[in-house]
Amino acid sequence: MLRKNMHKPSRRDKMLHQMGITQWNLANPNTLRGIANMPIAENIQLVVVAEETLDKAEQFIQDVLCTLAMPSQNCLCLSFDLANNLNLSHPVIFWFLKADQERIATIQKNFTDSIIWQTPEFKTLVQTGSAKKQLWQQIQQGSLC
């Protein structure tokens, strides 16, 4: 959705107006943050999907990477919205951090060769011993390494 540019006109704006050029701004620019068919590099082995994009420098994520003997550059953190746009040519481990089965199922059906881990949202995961235990069990059951 576009809306007409409504800020105080600058000299540039006035010149464009004189030439008959209407300026527009995106009403919701965050909806275009990702790209469709976003290619994923071959080195990516772990895709961490959360409601909001996590920082892979988080200590708990670093602990998981250490357990997998995986360097940080082989991990990609993104949001559920962007996960639908992935273009993968190789299997990866998807780590979903939220119990939203409908969104997970939508993504999972596009990547049937990949391994799926599911945990509660990040804040709950790092504060709950039983949730951590379930993640470690999923890690032991299978990985790409």
Side-chain angles (χ1 to χ4, degrees), residues 41 87 96:
N87 181 2
F96 295 111

Side-chain angles (χ1 to χ4, degrees), residues 107-126:
I107 297 166
Q108 187 176 3
K109 73 179 178 184
N110 295 325
F111 308 108
T112 55
D113 293 341
S114 296
I115 295 169
I116 306 295
W117 299 340
Q118 295 181 38
T119 63
E121 62 185 12
F122 190 73
K123 184 178 178 182
T124 303
L125 174 64
V126 296

Side-chain angles (χ1 to χ4, degrees), residues 54 56 142:
L54 295 173
K56 59 184 164 184

Side-chain angles (χ1 to χ4, degrees), residues 40-48 56 61-62 64-66 68-77 88 90-95 117 144-145:
I40 302 302
E42 289 290 324
N43 68 302
I44 299 297
Q45 295 176 296
L46 175 64
V47 178
V48 181
K56 59 184 164 184
I61 294 175
Q62 287 298 308
V64 171
L65 293 173
C66 183
L68 296 170
M70 183 183 296
S72 287
Q73 63 266 25
N74 291 15
C75 175
L76 174 66
C77 295
L88 283 168
H90 62 286
V92 298
I93 300 168
F94 277 99
W95 175 10
W117 299 340
L144 298 173
C145 305

Side-chain angles (χ1 to χ4, degrees), residues 77-92:
C77 295
L78 45 81
S79 68
F80 274 97
D81 295 332
L82 294 178
N84 288 320
N85 298 330
L86 295 180
N87 181 2
L88 283 168
S89 60
H90 62 286
V92 298

